[in-house]
Amino acid sequence: MGAMTIIGTGSYAPGVPIPNAALARVMDTNDAWIRQRTGIEQRHFARDGETVSELGAHAARRALRSAGITAAEVDYIVFGTMTPEYAFPGPGGLLGAKLGIEGVPALDLRQQCASAPFGLQVANGLLASDAARTVLFVCAEAHAGFMPWRDWDVVRGESTREVAEEDYARATRHRGVAILFGDGASAMVLRHTTRDGAGFLGAECHSDGARADLMYMPGGGFTRLPFFSLDVIEFELCYPQMRGPELFKSAVTELAGVVRSLCARHHVALDEIDCVVAHQANDRINSAVRKALGLPPEKVPSNIARYGNTSSATVGILLDELRADGRVKEGDLICVVALGAGLHWGAALLRL
Ligand code: COA
């Protein structure tokens, strides 16, 4: 039967890039702070009404084209996002309808920034159990909705008007999160290969709800009666809460740990890995992980400068770029690794 392999990738980012300096117009931050602490220089933001199933459809069409197949050949959709268009239903089925493949099963993942290793593990299970022959794994995010400003015209440079004092103060209260995220989508087409030695070696995934408070969205969940009220806005519960430094430490420890553990389980020496395709949350996190694993910088590529953290989509966007410019190629051993709110984290090994 062979092992699962990636036969196509695609990615998409909405609109024009928004540089760090644009965020400094609506809150107290600056380009130097953002670059030094995160490596981010710009990000893209979805427009009002631009949804993850729409962003995902753009990436999916590109991935299908790169795989040389049509949507009609997809028989399972796996969709990862933490910013779905509705509380329910999830975006997987909506994506299927946009691609004209209504009726194809769609599974929505809730693993946030850790969607890539979880999604690959699930896709491998679907293929191995013969539930599917061609899995379309899409990840997309539209974080723009939880940005703490209302002054999109100012952020986008369409107006130079003054920002109201209370709006500036609110955005500044949430600046630690607001500077990190950007919008985008990625897609992978997954199938079994008959090529000798190629394909998925395995994945290791973990979850720890005891650390859910390191990053979560307090409002909009079905905790309160009614589940959504003006309080959600008044008490600013519609913005994520993050304990940045603690999350940073958890990320470095767990990411390095899961790569070591997965490699040991599959008898792969760390220096056999050709490329670590790591979640792009913060360049400083990835450089600490890289040092902990003793890997050279060229084996842990980064594109966070151009996209910020696109949560579930970072790994797929980076992999798409690496395939397009030949930095990874057939025969390479790649290790996907990611950690996200939940906490969820994991790694996957795959020979292209
Ligand atoms: N602009 C300017 N200053 C800012 C700022 C911003 N956007 N955000 C925070 N600051 C200030 C803080 O108020 C603080 O000031 P103080 O020392 O006067 O109190 C100072 O900068 C340091 O803040 P701190 O939060 O300790 O900085 P940090 O070095 O931990 O960096 C993060 C903050 C968010 C970049 C970092 O913690 C991080 O990347 N954490 C992980 C986040 C992550 O991965 N999230 C996604 C998970 S998938």
Side-chain angles (χ1 to χ4, degrees):
M1 187 165 62
M4 178 180 78
T5 193
I6 299 169
I7 64 161
T9 55
S11 59
Y12 179 80
V16 294
I18 309 285
N20 292 341
L23 307 190
R25 296 180 199 133
V26 293
M27 61 187 182
D28 181 11
T29 189
N30 59 76
D31 179 51
W33 192 96
I34 300 171
R35 277 175 200 252
Q36 280 161 17
R37 300 289 174 125
T38 68
I40 299 167
E41 296 173 14
Q42 60 176 46
R43 75 286 291 137
H44 294 250
F45 283 124
R47 292 254 171 198
D48 193 20
E50 205 170 13
T51 64
V52 289
S53 65
E54 198 176 323
L55 300 178
H58 288 296
R61 288 190 191 100
R62 291 177 179 177
L64 292 167
R65 210 175 306 134
S66 107
I69 67 165
T70 65
E73 292 178 64
V74 171
D75 55 10
Y76 223 108
I77 294 169
V78 177
F79 200 124
T81 189
M82 64 178 214
T83 51
E85 45 254 79
Y86 306 117
F88 64 86
L94 302 172
L95 172 78
K98 286 193 168 74
L99 296 177
I101 49 170
E102 300 86 343
V104 167
L107 182 66
D108 294 297
L109 298 183
R110 298 291 310 269
Q111 268 56 43
Q112 291 64 254
C113 303
S115 291
F118 277 82
L120 289 171
Q121 191 177 49
V122 167
N124 182 58
L126 292 169
L127 293 169
S129 64
D130 220 15
R133 282 165 182 267
T134 306
V135 176
L136 176 62
F137 174 34
V138 174
C139 291
E141 301 292 351
H143 304 105
F146 70 53
M147 287 301 136
W149 54 77
R150 290 161 199 169
D151 314 281
W152 281 103
D153 54 340
V154 177
V155 168
R156 293 187 189 281
E158 294 157 3
S159 165
T160 53
R161 67 177 174 75
E162 284 283 296
V163 170
E165 214 171 292
E166 76 176 271
D167 288 339
Y168 191 89
R170 183 197 332 100
T172 300
R173 283 196 289 280
H174 298 280
R175 63 185 174 174
V177 168
I179 52 115
L180 295 176
F181 292 96
D183 297 340
S186 69
M188 299 180 200
V189 183
L190 301 154
R191 258 189 191 169
H192 274 144
T193 176
T194 47
R195 275 189 295 121
D196 252 5
F200 187 77
L201 274 73
E204 181 177 322
C205 293
H206 298 272
S207 302
D208 176 11
R211 281 181 279 172
D213 63 335
L214 295 192
M215 173 138 198
Y216 76 112
M217 176 62 88
F222 290 81
T223 315
R224 292 174 188 78
L225 301 178
F227 90 102
F228 219 99
S229 67
L230 288 176
D231 286 358
V232 172
I233 296 171
E234 189 184 338
F235 297 112
E236 300 180 1
L237 306 175
C238 48
Y239 309 113
Q241 280 183 14
M242 181 176 79
R243 290 166 48 196
E246 288 98 321
L247 187 53
F248 191 106
K249 281 180 210 139
S250 278
V252 173
T253 309
E254 305 301 2
L255 292 170
V258 76
V259 171
R260 277 187 195 287
S261 164
L262 178 66
C263 285
R265 193 188 292 193
H266 291 277
H267 310 291
V268 168
L270 287 170
D271 62 7
E272 286 177 62
I273 299 172
D274 294 299
C275 186
V276 174
V277 188
H279 172 50
Q280 305 287 297
N282 185 325
D283 256 349
R284 286 164 54 228
I285 292 178
N286 287 357
S287 112
V289 171
R290 179 179 70 66
K291 284 178 190 146
L293 295 174
L295 296 170
E298 61 276 13
K299 284 197 174 181
V300 189
S302 164
N303 65 0
I304 195 170
R306 284 177 287 121
Y307 297 102
N309 179 354
T310 56
S311 294
S312 62
T314 66
V315 166
I317 294 175
L318 180 58
L319 183 60
D320 185 44
E321 292 190 346
L322 296 171
R323 283 177 91 239
D325 65 20
R327 275 183 288 168
V328 298
K329 53 190 183 314
E330 210 171 282
D332 281 357
L333 181 63
I334 65 164
C335 180
V336 160
V337 62
L339 174 138
L343 291 181
H344 301 287
W345 68 98
L349 279 169
L350 199 138
R351 191 170 295 280
L352 295 176

